[in-house]
Amino acid sequence: MNARKELEQRLALKRRRSLGNMSDEAFEELELAVHNKPADFVDDNEEQAFLLVARALAAHAESRKDDDLLDDMQYAAERDRRNKALVKACQNALALDQNCVDAQTLQLLASDLPQNDLFERLCSLHEDLAKEQGEIEIPAAGDAWANVFARPRLRLQAALARTCINTARFRIAADYCADLMARAPLDALGARYTCALAMARLEDEDGFNWLDAREGRHGNAWFHLSRVLLMYKLGRVPAARRALRGFDQLCTGGAYLLLQPMYVDTYLPDRPTFEPGSFEESILCLHEADPVVCDTPDFAAWASDQPDFLASAQSFCSRNGFEWRDWNEGAQGPRLG
């Protein structure tokens, strides 16, 4: 979430609305002025609350920069401190505007609730907003994400869909994702990635193929891994082997991450940005896919037994200076800071 940029967009649009007729050139000058000093244009509690959220997220991101220097106990203490600070900032924002959706969502995500409790709270918030504000409208232009004021609710629904994956509510996850893609077809939030994992777990080959075709069959880590899982679950082992080779070849570090999962912290509030085809993409994919992988008996062991897959994973580990750990140690690979 680029909260600073969204704040600037919100403020500029509100000021333009209050001033009435404004030429495009004048609006460009207004946007520049807002960009330079956004706080000067905050003149209602709604945007003051959003400003607090933006500042809190910036402080949260800044506090993560030295995580790689911390040992596990120090990291846990620092993570707890900054999440409590974020929750407090959200409470302050909600004191100004009790309807600040991003503050409500972030407060829940940063509270480290058990996943089933988190699902219930996010679902309740989502349903309450639908009752109070109606469904998120699809604008004439065709993509709700173009409306910056609709984005908080879209982010909430994307977080809810990912929580459905984490709590084995795969059909509900697919339904939320389908609704998101209908309302925001350009899918800035990557609901299609979550949907691909859900389709694989549901063994819904038609649904997965529809989704793959919708994306022009370009593929990425989520789609490549989901195809492997789908073929494996359907018992089509030769196709699963071919898909596994493709996953290994096309997803940087994918084999290593499947066998040696990395820790990824809670998304606050949405999926971090990544370069297509990068190791970061594979990290995020395997993190999100973990509930599906764990729910697919013997899948990781089967993949490890396929020709050259284990060797590829260990080679990547060695080349990048990571530590390889045996399954019987019960430990995960290096933490993502």
Side-chain angles (χ1 to χ4, degrees):
M1 175 183 177
N2 190 335
R4 167 66 184 257
K5 184 176 181 180
E6 286 194 22
L7 175 66
E8 293 172 12
Q9 291 176 316
R10 292 165 63 109
L11 293 173
L13 288 169
K14 279 192 170 183
R15 184 57 60 93
R16 184 182 201 177
R17 190 183 305 155
S18 67
L19 293 175
N21 293 333
M22 179 179 288
S23 67
D24 290 342
E25 292 79 8
F27 185 60
E28 288 178 4
E29 292 182 8
L30 172 61
E31 287 181 308
L32 180 59
V34 173
H35 174 71
N36 290 333
K37 291 186 176 181
D40 290 352
F41 293 84
V42 174
D43 54 13
D44 62 38
N45 283 349
E46 181 181 19
E47 299 312 323
Q48 183 63 39
F50 196 88
L51 174 62
L52 291 182
V53 169
R55 287 175 172 170
L57 284 173
H60 189 279
E62 180 67 24
S63 72
R64 291 171 56 93
K65 288 185 176 179
D66 294 327
D67 276 0
D68 286 342
L69 304 177
L70 306 177
D71 63 29
D72 287 347
M73 290 185 63
Q74 292 170 329
Y75 171 79
E78 174 60 18
R79 180 183 181 278
D80 182 63
R81 182 205 63 76
R82 64 170 165 248
N83 280 0
K84 286 180 178 176
L86 183 56
V87 168
K88 179 61 176 177
C90 289
Q91 291 171 344
N92 292 337
L94 290 168
L96 291 168
D97 175 21
Q98 63 180 356
N99 297 316
C100 182
V101 177
D102 281 315
Q104 294 177 79
T105 303
L106 280 165
Q107 183 177 3
L108 292 174
L109 293 173
S111 295
D112 283 333
L113 298 169
Q115 285 294 303
N116 278 310
D117 292 348
L118 178 61
F119 167 79
E120 296 293 343
R121 298 283 295 277
L122 290 173
C123 187
S124 178
L125 175 58
H126 179 264
E127 292 176 353
D128 288 346
L129 288 168
K131 291 176 183 176
E132 295 167 6
Q133 302 177 10
E135 295 297 331
I136 301 170
E137 294 183 4
I138 304 175
D143 197 300
W145 188 254
N147 177 4
V148 69
F149 298 100
R151 292 181 185 179
R153 289 183 62 187
L154 295 171
R155 278 191 285 269
L156 166 61
Q157 188 165 330
L160 180 52
R162 289 191 298 271
T163 306
C164 287
I165 294 289
N166 292 338
T167 56
R169 294 174 168 90
F170 302 108
R171 176 51 63 190
I172 301 175
D175 290 344
Y176 279 135
C177 291
D179 182 71
L180 271 173
M181 290 185 288
R183 297 180 191 282
L186 295 179
D187 195 22
L189 289 170
R192 60 197 184 277
Y193 308 153
T194 307
C195 194
L197 294 172
M199 294 297 185
R201 173 58 184 80
L202 292 166
E203 301 179 29
D204 186 347
E205 186 174 10
D206 289 341
F208 179 82
N209 286 336
W210 170 84
L211 190 64
D212 196 23
R214 181 186 183 278
E215 294 306 303
R217 305 198 187 280
H218 297 306
N220 66 7
W222 284 266
F223 279 83
H224 295 313
L225 178 60
S226 294
R227 185 173 294 280
V228 185
L229 284 161
L230 178 62
M231 294 298 102
Y232 178 82
K233 289 180 70 63
L234 290 174
R236 286 152 53 182
V237 177
R241 287 198 188 101
R242 290 191 295 272
L244 185 69
R245 285 197 296 272
F247 169 73
D248 182 21
Q249 294 165 4
L250 297 170
C251 302
T252 304
Y256 168 70
L257 291 165
L258 178 60
L259 303 182
Q260 300 277 287
M262 277 190 174
Y263 172 81
V264 178
D265 205 351
T266 305
Y267 294 171
L268 296 170
D270 48 16
R271 183 183 292 110
T273 58
F274 58 87
E275 290 294 326
S278 66
F279 184 47
E280 288 73 21
E281 176 185 305
S282 297
I283 289 172
L284 298 176
C285 166
L286 268 299
H287 163 65
E288 294 176 32
D290 189 62
V292 182
V293 171
C294 291
D295 199 41
T296 305
D298 300 323
F299 175 72
W302 168 83
S304 180
D305 287 341
Q306 301 313 302
D308 301 322
F309 192 80
L310 177 60
S312 176
Q314 291 178 329
S315 175
F316 183 89
C317 177
S318 178
R319 292 196 311 273
N320 290 276
F322 294 140
E323 179 183 359
W324 187 270
R325 303 196 180 181
D326 294 331
W327 285 99
N328 58 15
E329 290 182 15
Q332 292 187 331
R335 183 178 72 241
L336 174 65

